[in-house]
């Protein structure tokens, strides 16, 4: 029998419904509408699409969204000025600066300029520090938060399980490990992090009751690397050539889906797994930021 397919698309719809209810409740309680500002520098097609999707999703749940389009040639100081303006704007509860930024911009400084209380991406060092310290009163990065919801809502509570995380990026791998290590809901896991320098990767991945893969290479995890009955979460989004597709390519994850679904007990598809959850959690973070002025994903 093949693995259970965990649908992020369905779960994200459920979460967006819950966020919409929170927005309505907030508006009737104190007349406040949460606001999200997205900052797009330049016109990279992928970044433009992501930002458009985020704004559309925000509007659908009743969040007031504002897209700030800035030229590719903007100076570092000018961009800082924009971020500071949004920090001071009372109608903006959440600020998202779409990455990557052009070479003349010092990305770290821009992310640090976003006020921690408005940092709905969870990338500000204050929020990173709070998360690592185990705080639940924190704006945590959207993709790992989405994965925790995927696990919890599909009945795969990581508490007490061994989770192997492949990938150590600041966006996925490291915050994922911090969330899993926290005490309480969605946490209390035993965590191993693997990366490109890990020796005997397959031996490590086979230890995982839950295996999360965020590498950015198609087929990096094959069936022989997965413990029978494991839950597999595929974060990767990769374009591979496909002459049969209208676009000439299709999207695949990092996991050899067809092979691994014969070994795992549950697996997320790509597309339709982690991706939709990331956007749903951005909306949730925006309402958290509007409600508490500081964020908080705890119960
Ligand atoms: P990064 O490139 O920042 O990190 C990749 C990680 O994978 C690094 O830690 C790297 O190790 C590790 N790695 C690379 N090759 C191997 C290998 N052969 N074996 C083991 N580990 C390896 O990527 P991100 O974390 O930003 O993204 C990962 C993937 O997830 C991408 O496909 C991205 O598109 C996707 N993604 C999807 C999102 C969604 O919402 N669906 C959101 C964010 C990302 P080292 O540190 O040693 O270099």
């Amino acid at each position: 029998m093949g693995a259970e397919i965990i649908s992020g698309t369905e779960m994200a719809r459920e979460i967006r419904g819950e966020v919409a209810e929170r927005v309505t409740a907030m508006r009737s309680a104190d007349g406040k509408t949460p606001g999200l500002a997205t900052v797009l520098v330049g016109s990279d097609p992928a970044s433009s699409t992501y930002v458009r999707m985020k704004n559309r999703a925000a509007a659908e749940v009743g969040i007031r969204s504002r897209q700030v389009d800035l030229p590719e040639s903007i100076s570092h100081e000018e961009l800082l000025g924009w971020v500071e303006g949004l920090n001071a704007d009372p109608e903006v509860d959440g600020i998202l600066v779409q990455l990557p930024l052009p070479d003349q911009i010092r990305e770290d400084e821009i992310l640090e300029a976003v006020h921690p209380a408005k940092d709905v991406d969870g990338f500000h060092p204050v929020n990173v520090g709070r998360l690592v310290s185990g705080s639940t009163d924190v704006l945590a990065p959207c993709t790992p938060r989405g994965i925790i919801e995927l696990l919890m809502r599909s009945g795969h509570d990581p508490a007490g399980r061994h989770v192997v995380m492949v990938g150590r990026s600041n966006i996925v791998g490291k915050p994922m490990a911090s969330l899993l290590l926290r005490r309480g809901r969605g946490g209390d896991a035993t965590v191993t992090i693997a990366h490109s320098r890990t020796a005997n990767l397959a031996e490590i991945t086979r230890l995982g009751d839950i295996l999360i893969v965020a590498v950015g290479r198609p087929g990096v995890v094959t069936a022989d690397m997965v413990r029978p009955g494991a839950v597999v979460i595929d974060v990767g989004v990769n374009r591979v050539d496909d002459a049969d597709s209208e676009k000439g390519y299709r999207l695949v994850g990092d996991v050899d889906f067809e092979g691994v679904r014969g070994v795992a007990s549950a697996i997320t598809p790509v597309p339709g797994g982690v991706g939709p959850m990331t956007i749903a959690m951005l909306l949730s973070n925006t309402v958290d930021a509007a409600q508490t002025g500081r964020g908080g994903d705890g119960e």
Side-chain angles (χ1 to χ4, degrees):
M1 208 177 78
E4 167 205 351
I5 310 294
I6 305 174
S7 170
T9 308
E10 260 174 46
M11 222 173 274
R13 193 177 302 129
E14 186 181 300
I15 292 172
R16 289 201 309 268
E18 291 165 12
V19 173
E21 280 171 21
R22 288 174 65 199
V23 171
T24 307
M26 227 177 136
R27 205 178 293 137
S28 52
D30 55 15
K32 183 173 167 58
T33 302
L36 171 70
T38 53
V39 179
L40 177 65
V41 179
S43 55
D44 173 72
S47 294
S48 306
T49 305
Y50 288 139
V51 167
R52 207 171 39 244
M53 281 165 65
K54 289 167 185 173
N55 283 314
R56 197 189 307 138
E60 275 169 17
V61 297
I63 291 174
R64 189 186 318 105
S65 73
R66 171 173 166 206
Q67 183 171 332
V68 179
D69 287 306
L70 299 170
E72 180 86 28
S73 60
I74 192 168
S75 72
H76 181 75
E77 282 65 31
E78 277 176 293
L79 181 55
L80 269 182
W82 274 98
V83 171
E84 275 153 20
L86 294 171
N87 281 341
D89 187 336
E91 295 211 329
V92 173
D93 298 293
I95 303 170
L96 179 148
V97 181
Q98 184 65 40
L99 304 178
L101 293 167
D103 291 347
Q104 75 276 17
I105 309 289
R106 296 185 293 282
E107 199 168 282
D108 286 357
E109 283 181 31
I110 299 296
L111 297 182
E112 285 186 36
V114 173
H115 193 289
K118 297 191 177 190
D119 169 38
V120 285
D121 258 337
F123 295 158
H124 191 286
V126 165
N127 287 321
V128 175
R130 281 190 190 135
L131 177 61
V132 175
S133 305
S135 171
T136 53
D137 186 17
V138 63
L139 288 166
C142 303
T143 300
R145 256 198 90 188
I147 293 170
I148 295 289
E149 287 305 317
L150 266 178
L151 289 172
M152 293 302 290
R153 292 176 187 235
S154 60
H156 302 291
D157 188 338
R161 318 289 299 281
H162 188 170
V163 182
V164 175
M165 173 74 233
V166 188
R168 58 174 163 182
S169 71
N170 291 333
I171 294 174
V172 188
K174 280 191 271 190
M176 186 77 249
S178 297
L179 282 171
L180 288 162
L181 282 173
R182 270 194 329 197
R183 293 177 198 273
R185 180 182 180 274
D188 290 322
T190 302
V191 184
T192 298
I193 308 184
H195 46 78
S196 72
R197 302 296 305 275
T198 297
N200 305 323
L201 182 64
E203 269 176 36
I204 305 288
T205 54
R206 274 198 298 268
L207 296 173
D209 302 313
I210 298 172
L211 177 62
I212 307 177
V213 189
V215 168
R217 282 190 190 195
V220 79
V221 167
T222 46
D224 58 307
M225 298 168 73
V226 176
R227 176 183 203 143
V231 174
V232 178
I233 306 291
D234 190 353
V235 187
V237 180
N238 307 291
R239 279 185 182 192
V240 293
D241 293 340
D242 182 357
D244 293 337
S245 149
E246 227 173 78
K247 293 176 181 160
Y249 68 86
R250 68 194 155 88
L251 296 180
V252 299
D254 290 342
V255 173
D256 168 21
F257 184 82
E258 286 309 324
V260 169
R261 69 187 297 193
V263 181
S265 64
I267 186 167
T268 56
V270 177
V274 173
M277 294 296 284
T278 297
I279 295 189
M281 298 325 286
L282 168 69
L283 307 177
S284 173
N285 271 357
T286 304
V287 179
D288 286 346
Q291 244 166 1
T292 65
R294 175 165 156 189
D297 62 329
E299 292 299 291

